[in-house]
Amino acid sequence: MSANHPEGVARYVREADRALVRRRAQRARLRACKFDTIAVHGMYSMEEAFAGGQGGIIEPVFPSTSQGYRDSDEMEAALAYLIPTWCYSRIHNPTVFYLEETLALLESYGCPADASALVTSSGMAAIKQAVEPLLALRGEGRINFVSAAQVYGGTFQLFSVRMAERGARVRWVRESWDVEAWKPLVDEDTRFLYAEMPSNPQQACFDVVAVAELAHTFDIPLIVDATIATPALLRPLAHGADIVVHSLTKTAGAGGFTVAGAIIARHGLTSRHLPEEARADYATWLKLWPFRDSGPCLSALSAFMLLNELRMLRVKVAHMSANALAVAEHLAAHPRVERVDYLGLPFHPLHPLASRYMQLVDEGTPAFGHLLSFNVRGTAADTRRFFDGLQRIWRATDLGRVKSVATIPAISTHQQQGEEGRQLAGIPPTMVRLCVGAEHPADIIADLDQALARLG
Ligand SMILES: *Cc1c(COP(=O)(O)O)cnc(C)c1O
């Protein structure tokens, strides 16, 4: 702290330092707990509940837009970021803090390095916030980044259109499961590597360890969108990734109340393009600087609902994965279905690679999530006829719900990117994306069967 601050400010800093020591000790104790315990409790402790006087066993919600300070010294200390503060809810908020801590702990579970999280108003806001600072500065016109071609439709647009408007070129890797396909695309002007694991809707996956190594030889970060897997199945940081992004709207918020996103970054990440303080703790640096200027913050109420969703994450993901496998096996044997893509099917070409990375946390058994896709035998019109016949499974561009949801990607999530973009990403018009929920799988299978029967 600078000598220009009055003594009263120093007093607040000393008080905050003592509180920080207690918080660090509490966090270290929590980091030693199992995944489910972290998901259920997070950083909200008995000590905190009783200090507040009410003893509520669930985290309080702070809908307040701003924090009041005891006097000018505390305000000065807070606004200079010399003490922990939440200040103003565009920058931070106590309920959002609980959610960020839980996410950081779950995503860095079993990872030697620690991590911090930043939550955002949507998954797309998280992706944009995560990549923008890496594309800034020097080298205008030559800047590029390399991404798996199999990405979410919004990400495809962000990378190919919005980033091109800013002079940064995306180089797509079609065979992203083969690290050799990445190598020729990376050069001195590449700022980061990016992929989904597994991808929505194709379920492409890639060798996280090998692609992280490739990134690090160029001193750049690997960013992984692990929305579909969630930390219950995959924690990319433990395999060498630098930054994980999530749409919390999806599996993490399986109840379907909230649009939200998150960035979780490993402390001390690899990037020769970022300043030292940003590399040290990227998520916190984003929060305190670029993020507060852009403003895509999450409301306290949304954060509270998501905290509640996360408590049972592993159990939900295990249940939905088992249901998805049962449905995939049924569809694979159905005469009206041309092909089924589900990473859990032993004949899926990426099954061995996916099995190496996707395992139910603390159990070690392979599990592959709720997302599958299949192609109806026949034309695009047949696919629509089948789709319009669904009576239990919702037609919606949504996924990761406790309720089963289906869509035709070519006319919905991937409509915007055009025929050429769909061919690049491997999205034929007969493809149906199905996200299996928590219903009994027999009822989902029955609904699929009656809709397929309409095709004769
Ligand atoms: C939905 C989705 C996003 C975008 O998230 P929003 O919360 O809708 O902004 C990003 N990545 C993947 C894999 C998604 O499924």
Side-chain angles (χ1 to χ4, degrees):
M1 108 174 226
S2 112
N4 297 332
H5 295 295
E7 170 52 26
V9 170
R11 234 184 9 256
Y12 279 111
V13 173
R14 285 195 296 274
E15 186 188 313
D17 284 347
R18 286 192 293 274
L20 276 175
V21 168
R22 287 197 298 276
R23 186 187 283 178
R24 269 191 227 109
Q26 186 204 344
R27 201 168 182 284
R29 282 196 299 277
L30 198 57
R31 241 169 103 75
C33 291
K34 295 288 188 199
F35 188 91
D36 283 348
T37 311
I38 296 169
V40 167
H41 287 271
M43 279 289 280
Y44 182 63
S45 63
M46 288 188 195
E47 184 190 5
E48 190 177 339
F50 297 134
Q54 289 100 345
I57 70 169
I58 298 294
E59 296 84 347
V61 189
F62 290 88
S64 175
T65 49
S66 54
Q67 176 181 15
Y69 297 106
R70 281 170 279 189
D71 56 25
S72 59
D73 288 337
E74 189 182 21
M75 181 179 255
E76 182 172 338
L79 276 291
Y81 292 147
L82 294 173
I83 60 173
T85 184
W86 60 277
C87 194
Y88 183 61
S89 284
R90 166 155 49 71
I91 305 171
H92 207 9
N93 172 278
T95 314
V96 168
F97 165 83
Y98 295 128
L99 176 61
E100 288 176 338
E101 287 292 294
T102 299
L103 287 167
L105 288 161
L106 295 181
E107 202 60 69
S108 63
Y109 185 72
C111 177
D114 206 347
S116 300
L118 167 65
V119 298
T120 57
S121 57
S122 72
M124 289 315 302
I127 297 169
K128 190 157 180 281
Q129 288 293 311
V131 305
E132 256 177 2
L134 294 162
L135 297 174
L137 325 161
R138 309 175 302 277
E140 187 75 19
R142 292 197 315 271
I143 297 177
N144 71 75
F145 57 102
V146 179
S147 171
Q150 303 83 9
V151 290
Y152 175 69
T155 307
F156 193 93
Q157 287 295 109
L158 176 69
F159 285 1
S160 56
V161 181
R162 305 292 155 233
M163 292 303 152
E165 286 167 0
R166 307 174 34 133
R169 294 277 159 201
V170 59
R171 297 174 175 175
W172 298 114
V173 186
R174 254 179 211 260
E175 292 176 346
S176 54
W177 42 90
D178 180 4
V179 67
E180 296 304 320
W182 291 77
K183 287 182 180 167
L185 300 177
V186 186
D187 64 26
E188 287 305 308
D189 293 309
T190 304
R191 294 297 177 86
F192 62 87
L193 308 186
Y194 187 98
E196 288 178 17
M197 177 86 177
S199 78
N200 164 17
Q202 308 88 337
Q203 301 167 77
C205 53
F206 71 104
D207 189 340
V208 185
V209 171
V211 175
E213 269 171 21
L214 174 65
H216 296 163
T217 58
F218 284 83
D219 213 353
I220 55 174
L222 168 64
I223 306 175
V224 180
D225 179 337
T227 294
I228 307 298
T230 82
L233 294 184
L234 171 75
R235 290 160 310 285
L237 300 182
H239 300 291
D242 297 274
I243 301 167
V244 177
V245 290
H246 280 286
S247 169
L248 299 177
T249 320
K250 310 294 174 49
T251 326
F257 306 125
T258 316
V259 175
I263 300 165
I264 301 102
R266 178 163 61 78
H267 291 178
L269 61 73
T270 306
S271 167
R272 64 196 161 84
H273 299 101
L274 289 174
E276 169 59 33
E277 54 165 335
R279 288 198 305 270
D281 183 351
Y282 190 53
T284 304
W285 177 82
L286 280 172
K287 173 192 282 295
L288 297 184
W289 306 104
F291 174 79
R292 64 178 276 183
D293 302 334
S294 318
C297 56
L298 191 69
S299 80
L301 199 57
S302 296
F304 177 71
M305 287 194 281
L306 284 166
L307 263 177
N308 220 26
E309 292 272 8
L310 287 174
R311 298 192 214 279
M312 301 285 283
L313 182 68
R314 189 189 56 83
V315 175
K316 275 188 283 196
V317 168
H319 183 55
M320 286 155 78
S321 297
N323 287 355
L325 181 60
V327 171
E329 280 168 349
H330 180 80
L331 287 172
H334 199 291
R336 297 299 320 200
V337 173
E338 189 176 289
R339 67 177 275 177
V340 179
D341 283 299
Y342 183 60
L343 290 170
L345 293 173
F347 51 80
H348 191 290
L350 296 177
H351 178 74
L353 179 61
S355 306
R356 254 171 52 209
Y357 284 107
M358 295 177 67
Q359 290 158 8
L360 203 57
V361 64
D362 284 334
E363 293 185 16
T365 43
F368 302 92
H370 55 80
L371 172 73
L372 61 98
S373 58
F374 61 97
N375 298 15
V376 172
R377 201 178 288 284
T379 62
D382 291 326
T383 302
R384 291 174 87 124
R385 204 138 51 90
F386 151 77
F387 189 66
D388 292 343
L390 294 172
Q391 291 170 359
R392 173 69 59 201
I393 301 167
W394 287 91
R395 284 170 289 276
T397 59
D398 201 356
L399 59 85
R401 297 283 152 258
V402 289
K403 295 186 178 190
S404 292
V405 174
T407 188
I408 300 176
I411 59 165
S412 57
T413 49
H414 290 66
Q415 185 181 141
Q416 235 187 344
Q417 71 193 56
E419 190 52 45
E420 203 183 317
R422 283 192 293 275
Q423 269 178 17
L424 177 72
I427 314 278
T430 52
M431 180 195 272
V432 176
R433 182 183 77 189
L434 173 62
C435 290
V436 181
E439 305 94 338
H440 195 288
D443 292 320
I444 295 310
I445 287 170
D447 192 31
L448 291 165
D449 280 352
Q450 65 78 26
L452 284 165
R454 289 162 54 115
L455 303 180

